[in-house]
Every structure is written in C-alpha cells, then in structure tokens.
C-alpha cells in the first residue's frame, strides 16, 4: 500500500479545499455504505465532530472508503461529506485499505497517526459518546503510538489498537492492569506494551512444534531475562523441564508464562527413550504430564523414578498406565 497521499487520487466534493492531507493531521478512515442504516444515522454526528475539531485549524482529516453497491448510491451518500473520498472507481485502493485495516463489516471508523499507525480500531463509539472531544483522547494517546514502527498484531493476525488505563483492561499474558497497551476487538484480548513487544519479537516454533503443559503452542523467544526483569523485576526464570536457569533463549508460552530451554526442547523433540516401565510399556514424551497429574491428584508435579527429583509444572517421559515418570535430565544421560 502506497503511503504517499499525493498518489492516492483522493477527491473532495465542492473543490474548495485541497485533496491532500495536511502534515501532522490525525486521520480517520471511515468505511461505510448508504445501505447500512446505522451508517446513514451516524453521518451527521461525524460531520458535526469533524467540523468542530477543525474549527480553528486543520488537525483532523477523514478519508471515506465506500462499501456501496453501485456508483449512484456512492455519489448520493458522499455528496454532503466535507472530507476526502476514495473515488468509487478506484476499487483497488478501496479493497486495499479494507485489507490493511482488516475491516470485516460495512460500518467502521479507524483512527490513525499521520503515518497510519492505528490509535483506535473502531472509534464510532468515541464519536457517539464524546463527539468532538474524542479528538483530545485520540491526540493524547497518539504520542504513545508514535514510538512504535507499526501497530502490532494479535496471535491470530488481527491489527490491534492502542489503549491506556482508562479502558480498565488486564494483560492476557502477565495478568497485570494495563497502563499502556494494545487491544484486539476481534479476539477481545488486550496486552500491555511490555508483553506485546516481547510477543512481537518472538517467532512461531517451526523447529520443534512443542506445546506447554496446557497444550498451547510455544514460541521461539530471546532476551527472556530482560523480559522477566522489566515485567516481574526478576531476571531469573526456570526451565520447567530441567529446573535449570536458561541463558535467556528458548521456548515460551505466553498464555501460561511457561518456559523451556532449547536443550530440553531438542531432547523432547528428537530423543526416543529406550527404557520401559516395570511392565515393559514404552515411555514417551508427554508435554501435559503435570496437568494430567494435577487433574487426577490435585498436585501439578511429578517425581522422576530414576533420580527421585520432583518437577513442577513441566513435561516428562511417562507411562501413563503405570504412572511411571522420567525427567529430561535423566533422559539426557541415556
């Protein structure tokens, strides 16, 4: 998507104002159609807010992106709009903008910084409740968004919008109250800026494809010591499968705050234990071992039959039928 507004071919009815976005303006991408009753009813409120916000100086621009079914209804619906408009015939741009902001319905208002970093993924309620005062709220959080190169994406790939403490949300990862963070309207989940940055810098585990004790897919993560220090004021964390302090790199489950070092991950992925239980059953890697034990006995840990050490919250090699368990450090020695 070309971010050069001069090349977008935008139009404005009346021809009295320029068809370029003035530098520094916050931008509202208004996705709507005449056939949507709520969009028709909302238009007068949006025009009033737009006019009031720009009464003293130009600081807010709107770009209308039509979902109308034909050009006649598009012309009729957009005729009274005082802002910029994507020409109906430029279907490529209209579809491109809808895809960029992941618009899934025909009535949406996305607020961004001048560089298209998302401030609010759906600001319709802001305008309905606060009218022109919505701009003060958008402007107050835009400075926080500017420090990010791009608005982040959630686990399912949806574009997230910025939030602050007024939203009264808790981080889906560290469970703390969010002072500054991001939210996904599609998934109804929010994250603090620290956890979201850590997540954005991680990568899907295509090498081992291992899961945590609650069967969530883990991700490759680095600088975990720094994350734990910034989030929990303690740089030390433990690999759940060997009870050792890793070097800051490994696999991490964001939902459970579950960690596994790469040494253990490689063993769990590659090594088939030749040892069998006392009844001759095969012993296999079981990522959800502690979860199964907790479900049955109420205690999220197991004791290794070889070394006698206890391991809490992690996986191990097991014969479920005989309740015979072996830890990864002992497997490493075989």
């Amino acid at each position: 998507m070309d971010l050069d507004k001069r090349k977008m071919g935008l139009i404005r009815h009346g021809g009295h104002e320029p068809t370029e976005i003035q530098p520094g303006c916050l931008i509202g991408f208004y996705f709507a159609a005449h056939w949507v009753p709520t969009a028709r009813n909302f238009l007068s409120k949006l025009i009033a807010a737009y006019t009031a916000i720009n009464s003293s100086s130009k600081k807010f621009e709107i770009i209308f992106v039509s979902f109308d079914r034909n050009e006649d209804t598009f012309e009729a619906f957009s005729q009274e709009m005082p802002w910029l408009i994507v020409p109906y015939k430029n279907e490529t741009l209209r579809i491109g903008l809808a895809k960029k902001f992941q618009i899934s319905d025909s009535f949406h208002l996305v607020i961004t910084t001048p560089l298209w970093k998302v401030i609010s993924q759906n600001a319709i309620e802001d305008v309905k409740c606060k009218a022109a005062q919505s701009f003060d709220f958008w402007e107050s959080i835009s400075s926080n968004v500017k420090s990010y190169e791009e608005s982040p994406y959630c686990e399912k790939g949806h574009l997230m919008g910025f939030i602050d403490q007024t939203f009264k949300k808790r981080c889906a990862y560290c469970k703390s109250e969010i002072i500054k963070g991001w939210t996904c309207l599609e998934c109804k989940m929010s994250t603090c800026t620290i956890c979201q940055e850590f997540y954005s810098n991680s990568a899907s585990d295509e090498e081992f494809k291992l899961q945590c004790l609650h069967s969530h897919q883990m991700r490759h993560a680095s600088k975990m010591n720094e994350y734990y220090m910034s989030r929990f004021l303690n740089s030390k964390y433990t690999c759940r499968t060997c009870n050792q302090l890793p070097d800051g790199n490994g696999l991490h489950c964001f939902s459970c705050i579950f960690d596994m070092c790469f040494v253990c991950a490689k063993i769990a992925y590659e090594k088939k234990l030749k040892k069998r239980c006392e009844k001759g059953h095969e012993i296999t890697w079981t990522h959800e071992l502690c979860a199964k034990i907790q479900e049955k006995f109420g205690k999220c840990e197991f004791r290794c039959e070889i070394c006698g050490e206890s391991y809490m919250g992690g996986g191990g090699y097991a014969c479920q039928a005989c309740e015979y368990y072996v830890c990864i450090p002992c497997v490493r020695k075989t």
Side-chain angles (χ1 to χ4, degrees):
M1 181 62 60
D2 192 347
L3 298 186
D4 189 342
K5 317 303 184 299
R6 294 168 297 183
K7 298 180 181 179
M8 290 175 62
L10 302 176
I11 60 175
R12 193 192 303 266
H13 287 309
H16 301 301
E17 293 189 51
T19 56
E20 295 180 6
I21 300 174
Q22 294 188 24
C25 282
L26 296 187
I27 306 170
F29 289 88
Y30 182 43
F31 299 86
H34 182 268
W35 55 267
V36 181
T38 49
R40 295 199 303 271
N41 296 334
F42 178 70
L43 182 57
S44 60
K45 294 183 177 66
L46 187 57
I47 291 175
Y50 175 84
T51 303
I53 291 169
N54 294 315
S55 59
S56 58
S57 62
K58 192 74 172 184
K59 50 188 177 181
F60 179 51
E61 189 56 87
I62 292 177
I63 298 175
F64 173 56
V65 185
S66 173
F67 284 143
D68 287 296
R69 292 165 178 162
N70 58 66
E71 192 165 2
D72 289 339
T73 54
F74 159 77
E75 289 291 344
F77 186 43
S78 64
Q79 194 62 43
E80 58 183 301
M81 295 179 181
W83 44 71
L84 294 173
I85 298 168
V86 176
Y88 188 80
K89 292 181 179 179
N90 195 342
E91 185 176 6
T92 300
L93 180 57
R94 291 193 291 118
I95 293 175
L97 288 170
K99 286 183 177 180
K100 175 178 177 60
F101 295 113
Q102 299 180 338
I103 305 303
S104 57
D105 56 63
S106 300
F107 181 41
H108 223 85
L109 178 61
V110 178
I111 306 298
T112 76
T113 68
L115 295 179
W116 293 18
K117 298 173 187 176
V118 175
I119 294 173
S120 177
Q121 187 66 9
N122 194 342
I124 289 173
E125 289 303 315
D126 291 341
V127 175
K128 284 182 178 179
C129 298
K130 304 174 185 176
Q133 293 180 347
S134 300
F135 182 81
D136 296 331
F137 169 68
W138 300 330
E139 193 172 43
S140 69
I141 63 176
S142 66
S143 58
N144 296 302
V145 179
K146 287 176 184 176
S147 63
Y148 293 84
E149 292 184 3
E150 294 286 346
S151 298
Y153 293 84
C154 74
E155 293 178 358
K156 294 185 178 180
H158 303 134
L159 197 63
M160 304 178 80
F162 189 84
I163 58 174
D164 61 10
Q165 67 270 22
T166 61
F167 286 78
K168 298 181 179 179
K169 299 284 188 180
R170 285 191 174 273
C171 178
Y173 298 144
C174 69
K175 315 305 179 188
S176 64
E177 291 186 11
I178 294 176
I179 305 301
K180 295 178 181 179
W182 304 91
T183 190
C184 173
L185 295 176
E186 298 285 338
C187 300
K188 294 181 172 57
M189 63 91 70
S190 304
T191 59
C192 67
T193 53
I194 294 174
C195 288
Q196 185 59 48
E197 183 176 3
F198 183 45
Y199 177 84
S200 297
N201 289 331
S202 67
S204 60
D205 174 26
E206 300 298 333
E207 182 179 1
F208 304 116
K209 294 182 171 61
L210 294 176
Q211 297 174 319
C212 73
L213 79 162
H214 291 127
S215 299
H216 302 131
Q217 199 71 39
M218 292 192 286
R219 293 174 64 87
H220 277 239
S222 60
K223 299 182 179 180
M224 287 197 280
N225 301 96
E226 296 177 13
Y227 166 70
Y228 276 96
M229 175 57 74
S230 60
R231 181 67 278 173
F232 304 109
L233 301 180
N234 189 342
S235 63
K236 295 181 180 180
Y237 68 99
T238 305
C239 170
R240 293 288 188 91
T241 50
C242 68
N243 286 348
Q244 300 300 308
L245 300 176
D247 61 359
N249 301 306
L251 300 182
H252 181 82
C253 172
F254 285 80
S255 299
C256 302
I257 313 182
F258 179 99
D259 298 293
M260 187 177 191
C261 68
F262 280 138
V263 174
C264 289
K266 187 174 182 179
I267 293 172
Y269 176 70
E270 294 180 348
K271 192 140 186 172
K272 293 184 178 179
L273 189 61
K274 296 179 181 179
K275 185 177 179 62
R276 294 176 177 268
C277 73
E278 295 175 350
K279 293 185 178 180
H281 302 141
E282 185 179 13
I283 300 173
T284 58
W285 168 251
T286 308
H287 67 268
E288 71 275 37
L289 178 57
C290 281
K292 288 185 175 182
I293 293 174
Q294 184 178 35
E295 184 178 334
K296 190 172 183 179
F297 300 106
K299 198 171 184 179
C300 190
E301 66 177 306
F302 72 91
R303 186 178 65 84
C304 176
E305 298 289 345
I306 296 177
C307 67
E309 291 290 327
S310 293
Y311 293 85
M312 183 177 294
Y317 284 79
C319 170
Q320 296 289 348
C322 300
E323 297 176 1
Y324 185 96
Y325 313 125
V326 179
C327 68
I328 273 192
C330 286
V331 173
R332 190 186 305 173
K333 297 174 184 177
T334 61

